[in-house]
Amino acid sequence: MPIQFFAFDTPNGRKISVALEEMNLPYEVQVVDITAGEQLEPAFLRISPNNKIPAIVDPDGPDGQPISVFESGAILLYLAEKSGRFLPTDVRGRVAVLEWLMFQMSNFGPAPGQVHHFVALASEEDKRYGLNRFMAETRRLYGVMDRRLAEHSYFAGDLSVADFAVLGWVWRHPRHQVDLKDFPHVLRWYETLMARPAVMRGFAVALRR
């Protein structure tokens, strides 16, 4: 039976649609319209108690029993374990993937996400401080990534779930007002990933009604 994928058209949703396509796992999309408050409905809260998308329900989970998973990083790790792809089995390789996955979850997501918030405010006074703070931090994080990618094709050496995690947010670079030409190694990485057929399918999945 296909995995039930609960999502909306956001960076965190796209991480998972790309991963599902890259891993060739069967799935069905259940759009959760966060603009209409559907993430607060009791049925969804039973799957994702933090009322955030994405979430999944795998009818064929461990020991053949259903399992639900929330939080995009946890979902990526679960899918990697299930498919046996994009997560190394050797300790050094696995640590590198986990480092860059946690980098994305704790830094390159929260910071540009705050840019998305402040840039949308109508009041220039309200947005000035927030934009200055979080745009500076977002650009610093791009610099961290650019230095890493200057020496590696992908964040953890080989293509991994860490790349899918970061990709969802770099996809929104116009919204957080970053020109990728300022970060040429990130640009090379981004263009390489976006040219992959499975990634293109992942971004083509309808995550809005």
Side-chain angles (χ1 to χ4, degrees), residues 19 37 48 57 69 74 83 94 109 111 115 118 121 126 129 132 140 146 150 154 156 161 164-165 177-178 201 207:
S48 181
V57 174
V69 188
S83 66
R94 197 179 187 91
V115 174
F118 283 101
L121 297 180
D126 288 344
Y129 171 77
N132 288 342
R140 185 190 73 81
D146 204 60
Y154 302 102
V161 291
F164 305 151
Q177 301 183 1
V178 168
R201 293 195 301 272
L207 296 185

Side-chain angles (χ1 to χ4, degrees), residues 95-127:
V95 165
V97 171
L98 294 176
E99 286 175 330
W100 287 98
L101 178 60
M102 299 309 141
F103 165 87
Q104 187 281 302
M105 297 294 296
S106 61
N107 293 277
F108 191 69
Q114 290 295 322
V115 174
H116 296 178
H117 169 77
F118 283 101
V119 78
L121 297 180
S123 168
E124 290 297 324
E125 183 178 355
D126 288 344
K127 72 166 104 173

Side-chain angles (χ1 to χ4, degrees), residues 22-23 25 76-89 94 159 161:
E22 284 282 359
M23 296 173 187
L25 292 169
L76 286 172
L77 292 173
Y78 174 79
L79 296 176
E81 294 281 5
K82 180 180 178 71
S83 66
R85 302 186 65 194
F86 304 112
L87 184 63
T89 55
R94 197 179 187 91
L159 183 63
V161 291

Side-chain angles (χ1 to χ4, degrees), residues 55-202:
I56 64 167
V57 174
D58 182 3
D60 185 23
D63 302 319
Q65 298 301 309
I67 187 172
S68 62
V69 188
F70 73 101
E71 289 293 331
S72 59
I75 295 168
L76 286 172
L77 292 173
Y78 174 79
L79 296 176
E81 294 281 5
K82 180 180 178 71
S83 66
R85 302 186 65 194
F86 304 112
L87 184 63
T89 55
D90 67 285
V91 173
R92 288 186 184 276
R94 197 179 187 91
V95 165
V97 171
L98 294 176
E99 286 175 330
W100 287 98
L101 178 60
M102 299 309 141
F103 165 87
Q104 187 281 302
M105 297 294 296
S106 61
N107 293 277
F108 191 69
Q114 290 295 322
V115 174
H116 296 178
H117 169 77
F118 283 101
V119 78
L121 297 180
S123 168
E124 290 297 324
E125 183 178 355
D126 288 344
K127 72 166 104 173
R128 186 178 302 112
Y129 171 77
L131 277 181
N132 288 342
R133 174 180 172 82
F134 290 108
M135 287 183 74
E137 175 62 4
T138 295
R139 291 188 65 85
R140 185 190 73 81
L141 295 169
Y142 269 99
V144 172
M145 296 189 297
D146 204 60
R147 291 190 294 275
R148 175 67 174 183
L149 292 171
E151 298 179 353
H152 300 81
S153 297
Y154 302 102
F155 281 100
D158 295 329
L159 183 63
S160 74
V161 291
D163 297 285
F164 305 151
V166 176
L167 181 64
W169 284 93
V170 176
W171 165 60
R172 284 290 181 87
H173 66 274
R175 186 170 177 182
H176 45 256
Q177 301 183 1
V178 168
D179 187 343
L180 293 187
K181 291 180 182 177
D182 295 340
F183 304 95
H185 304 294
V186 175
L187 176 60
R188 182 268 309 160
W189 168 89
Y190 180 73
E191 290 179 339
T192 298
L193 261 67
M194 293 299 281
R196 292 175 64 88
V199 171
M200 289 189 281
R201 293 195 301 272

